[in-house]
Amino acid sequence: MSSVMCPICRGDFEASLSISLPFCSERCRQVDLGRWFGEDYGFPREESSESEQEPEIN
Ligand SMILES: [Zn+2]
């Protein structure tokens, strides 16, 4: 028996029972992947909305 800590949910789980090491579950593995893609690409934004949010400086 060897329990390890999931880096995503920080919960202890049995390593031999997990199918998504080093994560406790497939769900946590997807969360980790989502973090990387989210930081690299972010969410798609329309250019029109960005121009509307542009602050006016007088
Ligand atoms: Zn987890």
Side-chain angles (χ1 to χ4, degrees):
M1 298 283 288
S2 61
S3 62
V4 295
M5 186 182 74
C6 174
I8 299 300
C9 67
R10 298 189 180 282
D12 293 329
F13 66 97
E14 183 61 34
S16 60
L17 298 179
S18 176
I19 61 174
S20 305
L21 291 173
F23 310 104
C24 69
S25 64
E26 181 67 17
R27 179 183 176 184
C28 283
R29 194 173 73 86
Q30 292 295 330
V31 170
D32 185 70
L33 288 174
R35 285 183 177 180
W36 283 101
F37 283 112
E39 291 177 358
D40 287 344
Y41 301 105
F43 292 100
R45 296 176 183 175
E46 297 179 359
E47 293 182 358
S48 58
S49 63
E50 288 184 358
S51 61
E52 292 177 356
Q53 295 176 353
E54 187 173 308
E56 294 181 1
I57 302 176
N58 296 326

